[in-house]
């Protein structure tokens, strides 16, 4: 248990007492009795009388109330005292009253300066007495009310912390869950507070939207909670910010509190089965009550675990389930073959014992599959059916009938049998063997020979030769089904009767294997080729009836056969062509009624007829050159009719035509010859030089047949004509600067007819490199040469002399190299002048221009440009202007800063340029020639860079201070950072470098005057990029007894030549010693120090506060009672401070620690035993001074005491030795049995043999060393016989003297049984009075010492 002592925090207050008048007291100095008082009163009337005589009037005030802001700096002017004097005299002002110490009045001007800081929250209205005098009339006074105007200088403070609530997971959305309250001591908008949830732990986007807070501090649930699938704990960080409704010059302060939300689970979820699906098995002959499997389910409500009950929904199944455990057992006898299925499906229902939050029974269901395994207890049986439509519930059969053709092949099944063998057992239990027996078993086999469960059974032919219809018509076999796994009931027999069927086993036969048949080609359809070819078959009835077929089927398009008589006929005579095919081969097939066949081969030969006209071989296209003589062409032809007959003998002749007179042909050989030379140009151009003659070729057969063939003689063209120019002379003109432009055309013709001979190409002479001439075909032999300028050459009129060209153009026929086919002509080209030169900037890239950001408007620079054309007009144009800051764009801030005139002058157009906004301006420009006729009138685009230089025109700017700074003076060493300020300066370079200094520190004391301090804090400046950070550190030891806050004014100064500065004021709250808490541990100091990190972590978890450890010391060093010191080993004193400046006292700490069981348990394990108030030291200057004086006096007295004790100790030592000698002398008269034996006893006066110790009264061993030697160790013993030593008796029965233990090292172990020291000593003395003789050494009843660890000199 942790003690929670009740205590009251000491409050410091200042009591001001006024002196009280008492009756009979003496009259103060300078006062008189009644007569004295009346004596001086007329003197007061003298000034009044003098004023009345002079007529001077007293001044008067015209003010009764003023207002002063509470953040007015000390030393600033607060207001002015104004009074009116009708006489215009010099006035003198004054101020008094209980609140006058805040101000200082200039008596001559009436200006009132503030000398002490104001705090409206501490005192909102001040009241003073103001006075004015003209030093002529009586002083005039009046009351002046001073209203302290509020400023936002107090952050909101959360009340009634900590905030902890338990919330059901079914809490409806939109409901209020808690209300926090933060108050602000300020007034107006500065005191109005708004709330905001800054973050939610666990931190994710969904949780942040789970809660919202209204402006009255009510926290509302904004989403659904779920104990199982979401977090069970949420911590909301709530920010309270004042200044709501502020419009201008706003300052915002804020503080943070934490709301802990514990989600409470509700029974809202149905139970859930585990490890699904459930599958089990059980044999069909198992005893009742056999367990099969166990189902298990859980309650998904993690925080609520109700008992679960199991039941079966389908009660007709032969199984049962245990209500509590979910174990499924066998309820009734199992027969797998009688069950509807070997898999039994159970529907298991699980229900929670109690109703859920909806008043319903929470339940879930699951399907359990139980496989009933088989036992071999059935005999295989035969059934006549076809799978799968078999009914095995019907009676089995033992006889079957089937049929089979004789001589069927091996493994051909017997037809008409539908035998199915079935064993209802499963798996290997349903396996059985099949075999044949009976008179005909050797001719057949059974298939399959082994079955499992169910299968169709077939009887197959094994020996076809024995299956012969002529030998027997019926055969019989027996099928044996043997279940080898069930010897007691193994077999069943089925008898199979097989009826044999007769087959056709003879085929038809022809008399010859081949027949030769002639027929004339083109014979008409139906012509009989052969009528006496027949076949025979020895079979009777239908098997002996024969029909005929002609094969292959492709020949049936030409020939046919009579199916019953076997006559061969012509089907289509038009297909009989000897010249195409002279011989046909066919097969004549005879088929009997059983489908057996016999065949013979037919050779059919075609006889010739004159039915083919002559055929000319190839085509005749002859090419000759014009003018060529003796042209001959051989015509070749043939006839497909039978060679050597008149049907194939041929003759040639010319057919009449346009050119038949120019040729002749030999009738027998077919040689065609020309009668003279041919001229290509004499032929029409449309004939393209082609001469066509027609030749007829005919045979001598009956009827006579003939064919025509055209012989084409192409007269090849010869290049015998030269080109001729048309439309001469050629004169053209062209404008300068037009590269590639068309100049003009020349034309020429060539009379040759072919392309190769009348193609014309045009070429320019060698002196015309600036022109191109391209040939274009206009028609056959008609060409045009298009003259144009080279695309890479632009003529410049100003650079040509003369400005014209005489070009030589040559027309050349490319088909020959003869000079006669080349023709020349001259082309005159005149060049026309135009304005076509673009302007250019000089230089091409303008130089950069620099301007300071504080420059005044005016001319910056003038740009220059030039143009090669003599007639030009140049104007500058601004194409675009871009603003840059650093490496990025600055937008359009510089659009109006600069202006480009048409003459090239660049002006600064604004006095508002700002380096901090834009440091580089680029102007894109060009020059235009307004008189350009052709070409580009513009120069190349150029960019003018205007560089803006920086000046020191920005003061440092502090970043808003949103943090609350707290310092614990007692644990704040020098150089400890306690606060941070940050500032930026928009200027660059050294002008933007910031140095922080502390200009003023004021301690605002709670319920007391303010103090201006120096050298309390210092500031260290560091740069983080363009941000400067000032770390405010402790510069000297802080006074831990002060209550209030430090108001620190920090100055930021830049590094410009004329530096600029800014001020920022921040508050550093102090935590005084009254919040010091004492934690007592049962462990040692070293253990507490080693575990300090864990202790602080546990305390932080419990309090959510920062832990500052002031001291860790031994309990013996801490002020406390002796009983407490016996149980405690170490003490830790610490402070518990929140980020908003508030601290925890011992009561609040005890409540928070005990409310957090986890942290409490961890702290107890770390040795924490007591939480109590800390030691508060509240020194004052008066006490410190008194303490110094007392310390000096005590030191002097201690020195004197030490010297005195040293003298007394020396004197007493010698006196004791002398007394001991006397005692020894007396002891020598004692008998030996009376004398004490053994060593001297520590803790007694060993020099006294007379019982000099008044407590122990023990005897002394005379032989003991009395320590007379100067170097004896006797003086090392205590001068006081009652010091902190103890003597322990040896254990009973053990030899040896008592053991001396110095100090209290072993005393702590016996504290629980300590006796009061003096009582114990006296009791020991009574048990062994001095009158009795001393007991001998070793006597167990001898009492010579006692052991009491509580004995010390102080107690005695």
């Amino acid at each position: 248990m942790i003690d929670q002592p009740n205590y009251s925090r000491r409050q410091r207050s200042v009591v001001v007492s006024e002196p009280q008048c008492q009756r009979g007291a003496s009259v103060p100095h300078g006062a008189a009795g009644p007569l004295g008082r009346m004596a001086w009163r007329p003197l007061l009337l003298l000034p009044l009388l003098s004023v009345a005589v002079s007529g001077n009037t007293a001044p008067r005030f015209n003010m009764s109330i003023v207002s002063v802001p509470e953040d007015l700096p000390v030393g600033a002017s607060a207001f002015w005292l104004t009074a009116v004097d009708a006489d215009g005299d010099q006035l003198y002002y004054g101020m008094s009253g209980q609140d006058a110490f805040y101000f200082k009045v200039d008596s001559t001007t009436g200006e009132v300066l503030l000398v002490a800081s104001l705090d409206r929250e501490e005192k909102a209205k001040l009241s003073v007495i103001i006075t004015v005098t003209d030093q002529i009339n009586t002083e005039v006074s009046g009351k002046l009310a001073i209203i302290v105007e509020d400023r936002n200088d107090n952050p909101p403070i959360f009340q009634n912390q900590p905030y902890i609530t338990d919330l059901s997971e079914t809490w409806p959305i939109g409901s209020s869950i808690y209300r926090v309250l933060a108050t602000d001591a300020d007034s107006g908008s500065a005191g109005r507070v708004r709330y905001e949830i800054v973050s939610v732990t666990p931190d994710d986007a969904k949780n942040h939207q789970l809660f919202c807070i209204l402006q009255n501090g009510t926290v509302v649930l904004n989403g659904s909670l779920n104990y199982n699938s979401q977090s069970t704990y949420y911590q909301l960080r709530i920010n309270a910010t004042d200044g709501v409704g502020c419009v201008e010059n706003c300052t915002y302060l804020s503080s943070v509190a934490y709301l802990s939300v514990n989600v409470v689970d509700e029974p809202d979820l149905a139970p859930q089965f585990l490890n699904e699906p459930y599958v089990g098995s059980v044999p069909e002959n198992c005893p009742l009550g056999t367990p099969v499997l166990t189902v298990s389910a859980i309650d998904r409500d993690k925080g609520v675990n109700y008992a679960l009950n199991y039941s079966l929904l389908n009660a007709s199944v032969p199984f049962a389930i245990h209500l509590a455990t979910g174990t499924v057992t066998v309820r009734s006898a199992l027969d797998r073959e009688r069950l509807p299925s070997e898999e039994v499906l159970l529907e298991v229902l699980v229900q929670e014992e109690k109703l859920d939050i909806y008043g319903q029974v929470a339940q879930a269901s699951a399907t359990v599959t139980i496989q009933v395994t088989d036992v071999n207890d059935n005999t295989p049986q035969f059934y006549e059916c076809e799978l799968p439509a078999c009914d095995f519930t019907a009676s089995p059969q033992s006889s079957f009938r089937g049929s089979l053709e004789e001589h069927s092949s091996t493994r051909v099944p017997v037809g008409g049998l539908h035998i199915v063998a079935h064993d209802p057992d499963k798996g290997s239990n349903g396996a059985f063997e099949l075999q044949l027996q009976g008179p005909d078993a050797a001719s057949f086999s059974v298939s399959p020979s082994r079955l499992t469960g169910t299968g169709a059974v077939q009887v197959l032919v094994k020996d076809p030769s024995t299956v012969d219809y002529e030998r027997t018509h019926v055969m019989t076999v027996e099928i044996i089904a043997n279940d080898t796994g069930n010897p007691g009931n193994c077999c069943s027999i089925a008898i199979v009767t097989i009826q044999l069927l007769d087959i056709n086993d003879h085929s038809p036969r022809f008399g010859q294997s081949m027949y030769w048949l002639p027929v004339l080609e083109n014979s008409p359809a139906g012509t009989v080729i052969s009528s006496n070819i027949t076949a025979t078959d020895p079979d009777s009835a239908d098997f002996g009836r024969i029909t005929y077929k002609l094969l292959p089927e492709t020949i049936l398009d030409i020939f046919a056969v009579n199916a019953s008589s076997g006559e061969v006929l012509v089907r289509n005579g038009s297909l009989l062509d000897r010249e195409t095919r002279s011989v046909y081969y066919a097969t004549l097939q005879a088929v009997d009624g059983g489908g057996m066949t016999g065949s013979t081969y037919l050779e059919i030969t075609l006889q010739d007829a004159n039915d083919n006209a002559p055929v000319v071989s190839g085509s005749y296209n002859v090419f000759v050159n014009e003018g060529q003589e003796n042209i001959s062409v051989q015509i070749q032809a043939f006839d497909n009719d039978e060679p050597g007959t008149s049907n194939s003998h041929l003759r040639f002749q010319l057919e009449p035509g346009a050119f038949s007179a120019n040729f002749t042909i030999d009738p027998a050989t077919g040689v065609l010859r020309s009668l003279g030379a041919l001229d290509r140009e004499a032929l029409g151009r449309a004939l393209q030089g082609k001469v066509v003659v027609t030749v007829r070729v005919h045979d001598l057969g009956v009827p006579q047949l003939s064919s025509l063939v055209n012989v084409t003689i192409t007269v090849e063209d010869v290049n015998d004509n030269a080109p001729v120019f048309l439309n001469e002379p050629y004169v053209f003109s062209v404008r300068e600067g037009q590269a590639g432009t068309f100049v003009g055309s020349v034309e020429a013709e060539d009379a040759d007819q072919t392309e190769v001979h009348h193609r014309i190409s045009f070429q320019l002479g060698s002196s015309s490199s600036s022109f191109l001439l391209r040939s274009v075909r206009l028609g056959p032999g008609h060409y045009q040469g298009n003259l144009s300028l080279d695309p890479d050459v632009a003529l410049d009129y100003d650079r040509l002399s003369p400005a014209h060209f005489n070009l030589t153009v040559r027309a050349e026929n490319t088909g020959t190299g003869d000079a006669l086919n080349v023709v020349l002509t001259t082309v005159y080209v005149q060049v026309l002048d135009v304005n076509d030169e673009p302007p250019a900037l000089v230089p091409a890239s303008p130089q950069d221009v620099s301007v300071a950001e504080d420059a005044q408007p005016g001319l910056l620079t003038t740009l220059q440009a030039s143009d090669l054309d003599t007639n030009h007009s140049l104007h500058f144009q601004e194409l675009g202007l871009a603003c840059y800051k650093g490496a990025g764009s600055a937008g359009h801030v510089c659009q109006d800063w600069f202006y480009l005139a048409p003459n090239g002058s660049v002006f600064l157009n604004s006095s508002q340029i700002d380096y901090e906004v834009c440091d580089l301006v680029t102007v894109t420009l060009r020059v235009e020639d307004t008189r350009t006729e052709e070409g580009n009138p513009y120069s190349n685009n150029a960019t003018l860079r205007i560089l803006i230089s920086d000046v020191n025109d920005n003061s440092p700017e502090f970043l808003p201070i949103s943090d609350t700074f707290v310092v614990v003076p007692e644990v704040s060493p020098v150089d400890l950072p306690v606060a941070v300020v940050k500032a930026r300066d928009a200027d660059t370079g050294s002008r933007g470098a910031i140095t922080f200094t502390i200009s003023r520190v004021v301690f605002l004391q709670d319920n007391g005057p303010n103090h201006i301090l120096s050298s309390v804090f210092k500031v260290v400046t560091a740069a983080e990029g363009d941000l400067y950070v000032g770390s405010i550190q402790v510069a000297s030891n802080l006074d831990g007894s002060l209550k209030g806050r430090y108001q620190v004014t920090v100055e930021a100064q830049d590094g410009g030549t004329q530096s600029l500065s800014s001020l920022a004021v921040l508050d550093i709250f102090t935590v005084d010693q009254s919040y010091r808490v004492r934690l007592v541990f049962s462990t040692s100091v070293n253990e507490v120090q080693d575990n300090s990190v864990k202790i602080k972590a546990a305390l932080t978890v419990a309090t959510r506060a920062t832990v500052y450890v002031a001291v860790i010391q031994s309990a013996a060093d801490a002020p406390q009672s002796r009983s407490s010191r016996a149980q405690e080993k170490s003490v830790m004193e610490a402070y518990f401070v929140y980020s908003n400046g508030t601290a925890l006292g011992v009561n609040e700490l005890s409540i928070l620690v005990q409310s957090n069981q986890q942290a409490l348990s961890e702290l107890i394990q770390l040795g924490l035993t007591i939480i109590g108030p800390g030691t508060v030291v509240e020194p004052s200057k008066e006490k410190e001074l008194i303490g110094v004086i007392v310390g000096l006096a005590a030191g002097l007295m201690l020195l004197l005491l030490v010297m005195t004790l040293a003298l007394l100790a020396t004197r007493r030592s010698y006196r004791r030795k002398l007394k001991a000698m006397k005692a020894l002398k007396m002891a020598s008269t004692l008998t030996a049995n009376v004398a004490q034996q053994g060593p001297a006893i520590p803790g007694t006066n060993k020099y006294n043999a007379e019982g000099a110790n008044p407590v122990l009264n023990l005897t002394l061993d005379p032989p003991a060393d009395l320590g007379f030697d100067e170097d004896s160790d006797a003086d090392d013993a205590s001068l006081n016989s009652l010091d902190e030593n103890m003597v322990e008796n040896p254990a009973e029965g053990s030899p040896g003297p008592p053991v001396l233990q110095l100090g209290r090292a072993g005393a702590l172990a016996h504290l629980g049984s300590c006796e009061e020291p003096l009582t114990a000593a006296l009791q020991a003395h009574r048990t062994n009075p001095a009158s009795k003789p001393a007991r001998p050494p070793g006597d167990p009843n001898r009492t010579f010492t006692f052991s009491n660890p509580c004995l010390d000199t102080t107690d005695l």
Side-chain angles (χ1 to χ4, degrees), residues 373-397:
T373 58
D374 184 46
V375 175
N376 192 1
D377 56 353
N378 292 279
T379 302
Q381 299 292 338
F382 293 98
Y383 298 86
E384 186 172 13
C385 61
E386 292 186 63
L387 293 176
C390 290
D391 182 11
F392 298 117
T393 61
S395 299
Q397 290 183 254

Side-chain angles (χ1 to χ4, degrees), residues 837-983:
E837 295 293 337
L841 282 166
V842 181
S845 298
Q847 296 181 350
D848 294 347
V849 178
S850 298
V851 58
E853 65 175 322
D854 59 350
Q856 297 302 313
L859 178 65
L860 296 180
T861 186
T862 300
L863 305 177
Q864 302 294 330
S866 64
D867 193 326
L868 294 178
D869 291 323
T870 56
N871 183 21
H872 62 263
S873 177
L874 304 182
H875 296 274
F876 285 84
Q877 294 180 347
E878 180 181 320
L879 301 179
L881 187 143
C883 314
Y884 297 94
K885 177 60 181 175
S889 173
H892 302 283
V893 296
C894 64
Q895 293 299 318
D896 300 327
W897 291 0
F898 302 97
Y899 168 69
L900 175 62
N903 64 351
S905 297
V906 180
F907 294 93
L908 174 61
N909 200 36
S910 173
S911 61
Q912 302 298 323
I913 63 175
D914 190 353
Y915 172 86
E916 286 71 34
V917 175
C918 173
D919 58 3
L920 172 63
V921 179
T922 60
V923 181
T924 304
L925 54 91
R926 67 182 179 185
V927 181
E928 180 187 11
D929 184 356
T930 58
R931 297 179 182 175
T932 300
E933 298 179 51
E934 292 184 2
N936 184 13
Y938 304 104
S939 67
N940 293 330
N941 294 346
T943 300
L944 173 64
R945 289 163 37 96
I946 303 177
L947 308 177
I948 301 174
S949 59
D950 188 25
V951 297
N952 191 21
D953 59 345
N954 291 277
S955 300
E957 181 179 355
F958 281 93
L959 272 65
I961 301 175
S962 59
D963 296 332
T964 301
F965 304 117
V966 182
V967 62
V968 182
E970 188 177 358
V971 294
S972 300
V974 176
D975 297 334
L976 174 70
V978 294
V980 174
V981 293
K982 298 181 181 180

Side-chain angles (χ1 to χ4, degrees), residues 707-740:
S707 297
L708 298 176
V709 61
N710 288 331
V711 179
T712 301
I713 300 172
T714 301
V715 181
E716 297 285 348
D717 189 26
V718 176
N719 190 11
D720 53 357
N721 293 279
V724 177
F725 279 101
L726 305 177
N727 304 321
E728 292 186 293
Y730 300 108
V731 178
F732 308 113
S733 63
V734 63
R735 295 167 62 88
E736 70 165 330
Q738 297 181 350

